[in-house]
Every structure is written in C-alpha cells, then in structure tokens.
Amino acid sequence: MSNDERVAIVTGGSRGIGSAIVTRLAADGYAVVVGYAGRKDLAEDAVRAVEKTGGRAIAVQADVADEHAVAALFDAAEAAFGGVDVVAHAAGKASWSTVADLDLAVLDDVHRTNIRGAFVVAQQAARRLRPGGALVTFSTSVVGLAFPGYGAYTASKGAVEALTMILARELRGRDVTVNAVAPGPTATDLFLDGKDEETIARLAAQPPLERLGTPADIADVVAFLAGPSGHWVNGQVIRANGGII
Ligand SMILES: NC(=O)c1ccc[n+]([C@@H]2O[C@H](COP(=O)([O-])OP(=O)(O)OC[C@H]3O[C@@H](n4cnc5c(N)ncnc54)[C@H](OP(=O)(O)O)[C@@H]3O)[C@@H](O)[C@H]2O)c1
C-alpha cells in the first residue's frame, strides 16, 4: 500500500507535537484525522493547513479517556477515509509536583488522560488497524532521567511504555507495529507552561545537541515509525531527546 492511500489518526493533533505530526504525515501523503480535546479552533486550523497543500484531513473532538468518544473518532476516520493505518497517540497531560506535595486529585486527572486514555486509544487501534499499520504511543525521556518533581506524569508514562511493549506482542500475526516515542524537553505548551526562562535554558542545555527539541524533530521520528521504512522497528521505546542521558 503506498503512502498516498494511507490514513492516520493523530490524537492531540490540535497543538504541539501532535500538530507537527499532522503536518508531517499529511506531507507524506496520509489522509489525517486531527483528534482534539478542547481547541476546536486550532484543530480546524490544522485541517485547513493540510487542505491548503492539497491533502485531506478532518477534525474530530474526542476525550481520549472516553471510550465512546474514541470509538466515534475511529468510526469517523473509517467513514471519511475508508480505514485506519496509523494511530499517533500524542494527546497527553502533564503536572509538576514533588511526591510529598502532590494533590491526589491531580494525580487522578493526569492518570485518567495519560493511562486510561492510552488504553482506550490502544484498544481501538488493536481492533481496527489494517495490516501494515502502526500505533505510536507517547512516553517521556524522564522515565529514564528521573527528574525530581515529575512523579505523577512520569509514572503515567511508565504505564504507557508497559502497555506499548505488551500490545506489540499481543498483535502477533497482524502485521501491525506498536512503539513508543519518548521525547526529551520539546518546545510546546506542555513543556514551557509554568517554567521560568532560567529553567528552560538549563533544560535546553542538557542534551549534547544543546537545544530544546522541536515538535518537527519528534514528528520526523513518528513518520519513520509510521511508514514502511520503520516497519521492522516493533515493541521499542525510542528516546528522541538530542542525547540526554
Ligand atoms: N513537550 C515535551 O517536552 C514532551 C516531552 C516528553 C513527552 N511529551 C509527550 O508528548 C505528547 C504531546 O505533548 P505536547 O508537548 O505536544 O503537549 P501539548 O502541546 O500540551 O498538547 C497536548 C495535546 O493533547 C490534547 N489533549 C490533552 N488532553 C486530552 C484529552 N483528555 N483528550 C484528547 N486530547 C487531549 C490537547 O488537545 P486540545 O488542545 O484540543 O485541548 C493537545 O492537542 C504528550 O503525550 C506528552 O506527554 C512531551
């Protein structure tokens, strides 16, 4: 199957890394479903940007932790474009607190979006991805880096990594790959919000490549995993972070 016949769902496609994935996969010839939570305006901007370049896209609202909404998201992809070949599950939420000070309501909220959401999206992907397809989930490099203050968020991404590894094995015989991308600090709202300039500069200086990641850096990795060139990579966590250890 050539790329110009393939269909991708991108959760979190309205902003940040997901939005860059929409742009990149559309440029690679995919018809793209832009999943979003609240920013309909930005999701529609993403659709218009794809259409401007001659591509096909639609925007669909779905809370990733709501199984009915996510089933409807996949239904919409199948109705509009005939099937689903790639799911890039970029939707996610972060919170920063030490364990000692953690508000457990925040923990529940982050884990609902990041863990339940990943399971809900993975469940639909497992049921519906066509042969040759790919699911790309999102972890964080902090699973390895263990930055203080990232406990609730990073624990949720540890769960995503476990889910990813196990689903890759469960899909034996389906010709569908399941991998996680684990970015390091990447210049999006999720990373930048609430951080002062000094903190941002300190984190940007950490990788040997001495800068923050860009959403496009991460979208390139997703495009590789999603496409035929990356299809022999399966059941892996790709730490895309400029070399932070
Ligand atoms: N940026 C980083 O430094 C970094 C590092 C490591 C890992 N990551 C991971 O990379 C992924 C993308 O992050 P980002 O930095 O691009 O984040 P972002 O700029 O904050 O964008 C988050 C996206 O997720 C969507 N979203 C949030 N909650 C949702 C929900 N319940 N249901 C559906 N969509 C929801 C948002 O939709 P609306 O805008 O429509 O509300 C938005 O499109 C996340 O999984 C994040 O954990 C990011």
Side-chain angles (χ1 to χ4, degrees):
M1 186 176 286
S2 71
N3 262 359
D4 45 1
E5 295 163 316
R6 299 186 95 207
V7 179
I9 293 175
V10 182
T11 70
S14 48
R15 282 190 289 133
I17 291 168
S19 172
I21 296 169
V22 169
T23 304
R24 174 58 203 266
L25 293 184
D28 285 356
Y30 292 79
V32 184
V33 179
V34 181
Y36 67 96
R39 294 302 306 269
K40 184 175 187 190
D41 55 332
L42 296 182
E44 288 178 345
D45 286 350
V47 167
R48 271 191 293 274
V50 169
E51 288 173 344
K52 243 182 168 172
T53 61
R56 295 193 297 163
I58 58 170
V60 180
Q61 196 275 340
D63 173 359
V64 291
D66 176 341
E67 57 270 45
H68 305 293
V70 172
L73 171 69
F74 278 73
D75 288 345
E78 290 174 346
F81 302 126
V84 184
D85 301 291
V86 168
V87 175
H89 175 45
K93 189 176 259 191
S95 75
W96 322 123
S97 168
T98 61
V99 172
D101 291 333
L102 181 62
D103 176 342
L104 294 176
V106 172
L107 175 80
D108 290 345
D109 184 43
V110 168
H111 285 197
R112 180 179 179 278
T113 297
N114 291 1
I115 301 180
R116 189 175 210 281
F119 272 87
V120 168
V121 171
Q123 189 168 56
Q124 290 298 326
R127 292 173 183 169
R128 305 208 209 191
L129 278 172
R130 296 191 286 211
L135 168 63
V136 181
T137 62
F138 271 81
S139 179
T140 170
S141 286
V142 184
V143 170
L145 296 168
F147 291 155
Y150 284 62
Y153 170 67
T154 305
S156 75
K157 296 300 189 176
V160 171
E161 290 194 11
L163 159 67
T164 303
M165 300 299 97
I166 287 170
L167 186 58
R169 276 85 192 168
E170 287 183 358
L171 295 189
R172 172 179 292 276
R174 289 275 305 280
D175 192 24
V176 167
T177 64
V178 188
N179 294 286
V181 175
T186 306
T188 69
D189 297 343
L190 180 142
F191 170 75
L192 297 168
D193 281 358
K195 291 192 174 75
D196 58 35
E197 277 185 25
E198 193 190 329
T199 306
I200 292 167
R202 181 171 49 76
L203 289 165
Q206 282 196 343
L209 297 185
E210 292 190 320
R211 63 173 175 81
L212 294 178
T214 65
D217 289 328
I218 307 304
D220 286 345
V221 179
V222 172
F224 169 69
L225 293 172
S229 311
H231 202 61
W232 193 236
V233 180
N234 189 22
Q236 305 297 319
V237 179
I238 310 294
R239 304 211 180 282
N241 59 27
I244 303 181
I245 48 168

